[in-house]
Amino acid sequence: HLNNYNEPRGTRLHKGIDINMGNAGNADYGAPVYATHPGIITRIVDINKTTDTNAGGSRISITYTAEDGTAISTSYMHLGSILDGLELGMEVEEGMQIGTIGRSGDGRIDRYTAHLHYELKIDGVNIDPTLGPDHLNDPMVYIRGAYEKIPPSTISESAKVMPVILSHAVTNQKQ
């Protein structure tokens, strides 16, 4: 991943990080993207099916709401495709494929070099998805650690590490 959380972008700050598999150019285009935690799809935009011109391109947000009301959300942006059948309000499981790495943004399917823009929010506040240059902040830690009332059967063994798509080398790709 590129350590570009809070990097200035004109008049705003970059509120996520950019991830690819360390390959140059668009070699990662079409690689699978997996949900990093269970939850409900709270935003789904496919620019191939709408006239949306947001810089995030095709994107999905997933939110897990704890019993105390705390919301843990992740967003996956610049997708090349969104898995058929996914809909707003649908439940997803950790590790479920939700789409593919793409280049979408600003109403175009080819706006950026292929990468995944990944954001993590707690109660609507962006937090740094990184724990350093080689590690990402696993949302399952918040779900598991802060909310121990979750039945163990709903937390997979893979919750101890991030899915493969989110654990690759730092690149020099810019949005």
Side-chain angles (χ1 to χ4, degrees):
H1 66 275
L2 186 62
N3 287 323
N4 58 348
Y5 178 76
N6 263 347
E7 181 179 272
R9 296 285 169 100
T11 59
R12 61 183 179 82
L13 297 175
H14 191 250
K15 291 298 182 181
I17 58 169
D18 295 333
I19 301 168
N20 73 18
M21 292 186 276
N23 298 321
N26 292 312
D28 294 340
Y29 188 86
V33 175
Y34 302 97
T36 57
H37 61 94
I40 303 292
I41 296 175
T42 51
R43 173 177 281 170
I44 187 165
V45 176
D46 186 342
I47 66 166
N48 297 305
K49 298 178 181 177
T50 70
T51 57
D52 184 276
T53 59
N54 184 284
S58 293
R59 57 201 182 276
I60 293 178
S61 295
I62 298 170
T63 302
Y64 175 87
T65 304
E67 288 181 13
D68 69 358
T70 301
I72 299 163
S73 300
T74 51
S75 294
Y76 311 78
M77 300 179 192
H78 308 306
L79 298 174
S81 67
I82 293 174
L83 198 68
D84 286 339
L86 295 182
E87 298 177 359
L88 193 64
M90 180 180 208
E91 288 187 38
V92 297
E93 296 298 322
E94 174 198 12
M96 178 179 166
Q97 184 176 352
I98 56 173
T100 60
I101 289 180
R103 305 174 55 199
S104 65
D106 298 325
R108 295 176 32 197
I109 60 168
D110 61 353
R111 173 67 174 95
Y112 302 110
T113 301
H115 71 283
L116 175 67
H117 173 95
Y118 180 73
E119 292 184 7
L120 176 59
K121 294 181 183 181
I122 306 291
D123 284 335
V125 176
N126 284 83
I127 64 170
D128 189 345
T130 65
L131 295 175
D134 297 324
H135 301 328
L136 294 174
N137 202 345
D138 184 352
M140 287 303 295
V141 170
Y142 297 98
I143 292 172
R144 229 183 12 254
Y147 311 106
E148 295 178 7
K149 294 181 182 177
I150 299 172
S153 63
T154 64
I155 301 173
S156 73
E157 284 302 309
S158 65
K160 297 173 184 160
V161 294
M162 291 292 279
V164 173
I165 195 71
L166 299 178
S167 63
H168 297 286
V170 175
T171 69
N172 291 321
Q173 299 297 321
K174 294 279 185 180
Q175 271 194 11

